[in-house]
Amino acid sequence: MPDRRKFLTRAGYTTLSALLTMGFLQKDKQKEDYSINTIAANSTRMNVNSPLREVAAAKGKRYGAAISGEFLQTDKDYANLIARECSIATPNGELKWNATEPQPGKFTFESADAIANFCQKHNIELHGHTLFWHTGNPDWVSYPPTFEMIERHVKGVMGHYRNSKVLKSWDIANEIIADNENETDNATYGLRKGVKPELIRDLFKIAASVDSSKKFYLNDFGIEGATWKSDRFLKMVEYLKNNGAKIDGAGIQSHLWFSTAYPFDEKGFNSVLKRLNDLEVKPIITELDIIIDTPLPDSIKKLDQMVADSYKRYLDLCFAANVDTVITWGLTDRHTWIRHPDWMPAKFRGNPSNQRFLRPLPFDENLQPKSARNAISQAFQQAT
Ligand code: G3I
């Protein structure tokens, strides 16, 4: 196996101790003008301390994170950090079916509206996630849902946010492609069992009939390389384009594992990005976080550097292919899903001493910036 370390570029970060003095938890930035033009004029002043939202905006790009309504309320330092760093946010669960339509036809938007209000207050765009998924559904919803269920749900949820000042885009469908050929009954598009391409086309059409002013995405994981799954995903995007659906972009989730024991498929990932650009379907990064797979290094410092190098390497590829939006799945290791007992990868769950190496996000559990944050900043600053 090739030693992947030689492929990792150094992120060139300043020390944590210097960063700790720079007031990362200070807020009151929301009154500043974050418009892209203003930031672009100031781009020469960007440095490693600048909020990621500003560094991104200087290049006409957006940086954001998945955010949790519960933690926005209970963890003020976390809320301040989100406001400081993000120009776009995805609700972690507040727009999923079980949150918005827990009973048939009975819609509740309290928790999603609280997130939307937070975003409006802090000039953060909201990415709507998601209208159709095999998980996060109330028990009464089948998978796939019937056409009638879908129509009522999409009209209810999208209709509620039709005039929203912050919600500008939707993951219309999430994770519809199976992981492998054993989990599909549709060889061409690789859709999860029971899902027909026509149903997804109709879902996109219903969405366009409710609110075509928003950007529509098909979102999935495991498509960051030339794989069975990415091939089916791209075919499905093409099918939607060719069959009258409005599809503006592809959400590449990017829950990534890097390792010195196996290579990252850079060439394959470039080909996915190229094909999306050729189809005029905009690739955006919607759920980025990074796990370092075994063999693990002998210190957290080295691990953090490997995570940072992996961020830099991945984002360099993205920015070379016109990606303008990067959303990490959370902002801080304090609240990452990867450390949650329900979601922790089996390999780490069975090995408590390795769990401290699960440090997938730009800020650590004390909300202090890690080298990953600086790598993201540097990637934005070097983007053309
Ligand atoms: O709301 C309760 C909360 O009141 C309680 O304190 C807590 C105790 O653990 O449970 C909370 O509900 C959990 C919820 O996350 C909020 O933390 C659910 O049990 C849990 O199932 C839910 O998991 C989320 C999962 O999607 C299912 O909705 C994860 O946090 C979230 O990170 C994950 O996100 C998905 C994306 O939508 C799609 N791509 C993959 C990504 C990661 O799995």
Side-chain angles (χ1 to χ4, degrees):
M1 283 292 186
D3 181 351
R4 244 207 67 249
R5 272 171 291 210
K6 70 184 174 208
F7 296 120
L8 297 178
T9 56
R10 286 199 62 82
Y13 64 101
T14 53
T15 62
L16 276 182
S17 59
L19 290 166
L20 293 181
T21 63
M22 290 182 301
F24 269 87
L25 300 182
Q26 284 165 14
K27 134 172 173 206
D28 295 334
K29 283 277 177 194
Q30 63 264 39
K31 296 218 174 63
E32 292 181 12
D33 180 357
Y34 287 113
S35 72
I36 285 171
N37 287 343
T38 307
I39 297 299
N42 293 336
S43 62
T44 49
R45 282 194 260 128
M46 292 301 147
N47 59 49
V48 74
N49 316 322
S50 305
L52 290 175
R53 61 180 294 158
E54 291 183 8
V55 176
K59 294 296 172 81
K61 298 185 189 294
R62 299 178 296 182
Y63 170 75
I67 62 177
S68 148
E70 183 185 344
F71 298 135
L72 285 181
Q73 276 188 350
T74 59
D75 186 346
K76 288 297 161 209
D77 289 340
Y78 163 81
N80 292 344
L81 194 62
I82 297 288
R84 182 188 195 271
E85 297 290 330
C86 297
S87 54
I88 184 166
T90 307
N92 186 68
E94 291 78 356
L95 280 173
K96 289 171 183 170
W97 200 313
N98 55 8
T100 53
E101 194 189 357
Q103 303 294 330
K106 301 245 181 304
F107 291 92
T108 57
F109 295 107
E110 205 180 320
S111 55
D113 283 352
I115 288 204
N117 292 340
F118 174 86
C119 288
Q120 193 164 338
K121 183 170 171 199
H122 297 288
N123 195 16
I124 298 172
E125 273 185 30
L126 194 57
H127 180 62
H129 173 84
T130 174
L131 297 167
F132 183 103
W133 193 25
H134 62 286
T135 305
N137 294 319
D139 290 344
W140 60 269
V141 175
S142 55
Y143 189 81
T146 63
F147 180 89
E148 288 71 27
M149 285 178 189
I150 292 172
E151 189 175 39
R152 182 176 58 199
H153 185 69
V154 170
K155 283 183 174 170
V157 178
M158 283 187 81
H160 184 77
Y161 290 101
R162 199 186 279 121
N163 298 318
S164 169
K165 292 195 172 68
V166 290
L167 198 154
K168 306 283 188 197
S169 53
W170 283 104
D171 284 336
I172 301 294
N174 187 40
E175 301 175 9
I176 58 171
I177 311 294
D179 287 341
N180 57 62
E181 54 202 335
N182 300 325
E183 293 173 11
T184 184
D185 44 25
N186 180 316
T188 310
Y189 301 112
L191 294 164
R192 284 179 191 276
K193 281 186 181 154
V195 181
K196 300 273 174 285
E198 294 81 10
L199 186 71
I200 303 301
R201 176 202 63 199
D202 291 347
L203 163 70
F204 274 79
K205 285 190 170 180
I206 296 166
S209 76
V210 179
D211 184 3
S212 64
S213 71
K214 308 289 191 277
K215 299 286 185 203
F216 290 0
Y217 290 87
L218 183 66
N219 194 49
D220 219 320
F221 68 92
I223 54 173
E224 304 84 3
T227 59
W228 179 91
K229 188 166 178 174
S230 66
D231 184 56
R232 271 52 187 193
F233 179 86
L234 290 164
K235 284 193 178 116
M236 193 59 205
V237 167
E238 208 167 352
Y239 165 85
L240 290 168
K241 281 273 308 186
N242 293 338
N243 285 276
K246 165 181 148 64
I247 171 164
D248 302 292
I252 302 173
Q253 288 190 9
S254 312
H255 295 292
L256 301 177
W257 290 53
F258 280 77
S259 173
T260 55
Y262 51 82
F264 176 73
D265 182 12
E266 198 164 300
K267 191 163 161 249
F269 182 49
N270 274 331
S271 71
V272 170
L273 293 170
K274 179 173 185 318
R275 202 153 147 215
L276 288 169
N277 282 319
D278 289 347
L279 288 166
E280 296 181 355
V281 169
K282 192 160 193 50
I284 66 168
I285 305 305
T286 49
E287 304 189 14
L288 178 58
D289 50 23
I290 294 181
I291 290 176
I292 299 298
D293 198 357
T294 50
L296 294 169
D298 58 14
S299 74
I300 293 294
K301 193 173 174 203
K302 285 183 195 161
L303 182 282
D304 280 351
Q305 188 58 48
M306 290 169 83
V307 173
D309 291 344
S310 305
Y311 265 103
K312 178 69 168 52
R313 181 176 177 213
Y314 188 68
L315 291 181
D316 284 349
L317 297 174
C318 294
F319 294 151
N322 293 324
V323 168
D324 68 0
T325 301
V326 175
I327 301 169
T328 48
W329 201 247
L331 187 60
T332 150
D333 296 337
R334 180 183 289 185
H335 298 310
T336 171
W337 69 294
I338 285 168
R339 287 186 179 186
H340 192 285
D342 292 352
W343 297 98
M344 186 181 289
K347 187 168 192 173
F348 286 84
R349 200 178 306 141
N351 191 337
S353 69
N354 281 353
Q355 286 168 20
R356 66 199 173 96
F357 290 103
L358 291 171
R359 297 169 61 83
L361 290 169
F363 287 80
D364 71 12
E365 53 280 85
N366 298 314
L367 306 185
Q368 297 306 320
K370 301 192 304 183
S371 19
R373 184 206 174 273
N374 307 321
I376 295 170
S377 174
Q378 194 178 52
F380 273 118
Q381 289 181 63
Q382 290 173 0
T384 48

